[in-house]
Amino acid sequence: METERFANISITDMSDESQRDLNDLKQRLMKNEVGQTKQKNKYLDIDSESEDSALSLQESSASTDDSETECALESTQIQLQQRGNKTCIVNRRKVNTKAKFQTIPNGHDKFLTDTFQLIMKEIVQKAGDRSEKVVDWKAPEELRALMDLEPKAVGESHEKLLSRLQDIIKYSVKTGHPHFVNQLFSSLDPYGLAGQIVTDALNTSQYTYETAPVFTLMEETVLKTMRDYIGYTEGNGIFCPGGSISNIMAMNCARFKMFPQTKKYGMFGLPPLVVYTSELAHYSIKKAGYLLGFGDDNVRLVKTDSEGRIIPEDLEKQIQETKDEGLTPFMVVATAGTTVFGAFDPIEKMAEISEKHGLWYHVDGAWGGGVLMSRQHRYLMKGVERADSVTWNPHKLLGVPQQCSCFLTRHVKVLQECHRADAKYLFQKDKFYDTSYDTGDKTFQCGRKVDVLKYWLMWKAKGSEGFEQHINRLFDNTKYMVEQLNKRDDFRMVVEKPDCTNVCFWYIPPSLRNMPEGPEFWDKLHKVAPKVKEGMIRDGTMMITYQPQKDLSNFFRLVLQNSATTYEDMDFFINEIERLGKDL
Ligand code: ABU
């Protein structure tokens, strides 16, 4: 007669050891053993009422000898059937365990160690390997099928999770690859990564000193040092989740400074307010206008020259026109490093105009702000100390991991006065410590991720000199790239002498080289960059972006932001674009 027994075994994964334990269980089932077996760190409780009854076997494994924590992530109920001398698994299903839903790290050492090893092997060690692909491209439907993205009712084994992480890495873009020159961020900085990991392991929120004592002081110190680079003798600042938020913060402070009653009455009773920025400014200025209730019509776009810099005379003219219309100018935004051309607006001249008209002057240096750390290139931001506020994203030109954006102002109290709402459950004034260290009410966020540690750790590791050398290298690479492009007949610069490290150019395939430069030429050229881009993504060899701008046909924008990029890499970019485009 066949005997059926049921074993309920909790295993973190079907490792060799678990497999051995399972075999051991099978043996004892065959022998109809009952009672309790205690192994090193393994507790196997076996109850049996009779030969025909179900056996319940439970295993708890702990990763350290002195830990009694039940930590199994995975519980699998296995139905065993004994057929003569053979024990077969006839059914297997996953069941919940007590530990499954607990957010405790203890006992997950192997899983976490394996994850870190995976990060090291598949991301960090491959980051500088030019033979690796920048991207293993899959179309959305193909990728969806590969990834099995829907969360399920029952959790999965560590082994499965690790294989999922491996797939996630495989199909993600390797932005640390020196051939990723697509965006205003890139690189994989080791100290930045270490800072990110420690930040995430500590998982705190930056709003009060009590939850973030070290990071509060660290943020204060780093922001003060950044203000020194700007040239402010006093002031304030805050880390924001991205440059757009820093710019929105600037607009809110600007309005508050001119009309403090906004905080109580909102926009009611205010005259129509107007802000001025470059026609090539980042679109977050327009969005700030939507969010804060000004609308497109009152975000006035100032004309730029052929290099992409604001024409100050047009700014002056537009301010006067606004006044003549009976509207109220309140803010001027200069851009230090426009998104596409990398142009630096005439910061000093715009400061003069803003001061003359009594307007809040903001410099959006999200992209270019990093030049302040280079004695050779900081001239690009001459006059920035005259700005009321500055956006500066260390996650861009300085290569700090995303995201790391700072809003800095020379006004000591404006952030607090403009944003504070005095939540009594968070900012109790009768706390036992100096509550001026609770920074949460300086912003419109509540919870705030710690963004300072990765930057601080990089700064400690490299020193200001290291950042300076990084910036100088990027500008040197830019010079080399421009020189190489100028040597070639098949490439043409869009901006002859870039202000920043954005290199904008067209590739002109042989089929267009002798064509007159009329509408047909530009129309055909417009289609070249998208085709070349498709080719490089499908092959995974590099990533560089393209776009039209003003009335210019699609052109490439190569961003040099990773100081690991070499002259050889830049030769590769040129040859690769030619390889992909020569038959178009
Ligand atoms: N915040 C602008 C970033 C866009 C870009 O990387 O091209």
Side-chain angles (χ1 to χ4, degrees), residues 374-388:
S374 160
R375 280 164 287 192
Q376 198 183 337
H377 299 288
R378 60 169 290 126
Y379 75 92
L380 287 161
M381 291 184 73
K382 189 164 178 300
V384 68
E385 71 285 351
R386 292 168 73 173
D388 292 281

Side-chain angles (χ1 to χ4, degrees), residues 97-109:
T97 67
K98 184 175 153 205
K100 234 171 138 69
F101 55 87
Q102 292 179 319
T103 52
I104 49 167
N106 307 62
H108 294 69
D109 302 34

Side-chain angles (χ1 to χ4, degrees), residues 49-63:
E49 285 152 18
S50 75
E51 193 180 85
D52 292 333
S53 70
L55 296 181
S56 167
L57 295 100
Q58 287 178 333
E59 174 193 49
S60 304
S61 66
S63 60

Side-chain angles (χ1 to χ4, degrees), residues 161-317:
L161 296 173
L162 285 165
S163 105
R164 287 192 182 282
L165 290 174
Q166 183 130 28
D167 284 348
I168 288 163
I169 295 168
K170 179 171 164 57
Y171 298 116
S172 289
V173 175
K174 308 305 180 301
T175 63
H177 196 298
H179 295 171
F180 177 83
V181 286
N182 200 66
Q183 238 59 74
L184 301 183
F185 72 89
S186 66
S187 317
L188 203 176
D189 188 90
Y191 308 105
L193 176 63
Q196 287 271 50
I197 291 168
V198 173
T199 299
D200 286 341
L202 289 171
N203 185 34
T204 195
S205 183
Q206 182 85 59
Y207 38 38
T208 61
Y209 182 83
E210 67 184 90
T211 52
V214 177
F215 300 131
T216 300
L217 301 184
M218 190 182 281
E219 188 175 86
E220 182 188 81
T221 309
V222 167
L223 289 169
K224 160 83 176 66
T225 315
M226 291 174 82
R227 286 199 304 275
D228 291 344
Y229 272 98
I230 291 170
Y232 289 156
T233 50
E234 59 175 8
N236 214 321
I238 191 108
F239 278 71
C240 295
S244 296
I245 305 296
S246 294
N247 286 339
I248 290 167
M249 193 76 94
M251 206 179 275
N252 207 30
C253 288
R255 181 176 59 183
F256 175 82
K257 197 74 180 165
M258 193 176 270
F259 300 102
Q261 69 269 33
T262 320
K263 191 144 177 226
K264 187 164 170 55
Y265 303 113
M267 298 283 268
F268 299 105
L270 290 195
L273 302 178
V274 178
V275 55
Y276 307 86
T277 195
S278 158
E279 59 181 335
L280 301 182
H282 191 254
Y283 62 86
S284 57
I285 308 300
K286 278 178 143 213
K287 289 198 173 187
Y290 305 150
L291 191 72
L292 296 176
F294 304 118
D296 266 345
D297 284 357
N298 298 311
V299 177
R300 303 271 162 107
L301 303 180
V302 182
K303 286 187 192 141
T304 55
D305 62 21
S306 58
E307 315 286 291
R309 304 179 198 119
I310 267 188
I311 299 170
E313 293 74 22
D314 189 52
L315 172 63
E316 188 79 74
K317 181 168 156 274

